[in-house]
Amino acid sequence: MLSFKDKITFDLKSLVVYNFQCSSCKSSYIGKAFRHIKIRAYEHLAISVETERNTSPTTTKATVVTDHCHKGGKHQNQYSSFKILSQDSSDFRLRIKELLLILKNDPDLNIAGE
């Protein structure tokens, strides 16, 4: 059948649970993004959304993914390292989905309190 709504591109999806998979060592992280996935991924990778250039990890809010990617310069990751696992329009259901996916997949970069 015909769809009356335009498809939302990957970059503009929000209210998602996502997975980061390191391309160098296969470490992983599961998190949620209320904003566009591209903005959240760029924060993790220390990339400026405006210029699309690398920024210093010290000028951005450090995350476990940021720390992992900039460890000794060995973990060069890209935006393609991020995949959307789930979406929801409810913040509460999104948090539940995130928790269940973390418990199921046991990503090694997720630490208590994150």
Side-chain angles (χ1 to χ4, degrees), residues 49-98:
V49 177
E50 292 84 21
T51 64
E52 296 203 352
R53 293 184 180 179
N54 290 338
T55 61
S56 170
T58 58
T59 62
T60 60
K61 183 181 175 192
T63 67
V64 292
V65 175
T66 309
D67 293 343
H68 178 79
C69 290
H70 292 89
K71 245 198 286 187
K74 296 178 184 176
H75 301 272
Q76 300 299 319
N77 286 283
Q78 302 170 351
Y79 182 47
S80 61
S81 300
F82 291 84
K83 304 289 183 231
I84 293 176
L85 301 176
S86 185
Q87 269 188 282
D88 208 301
S89 60
S90 163
D91 175 45
F92 178 73
R93 287 192 305 263
L94 195 66
R95 290 175 187 268
I96 298 294
K97 288 178 179 184
E98 178 193 29

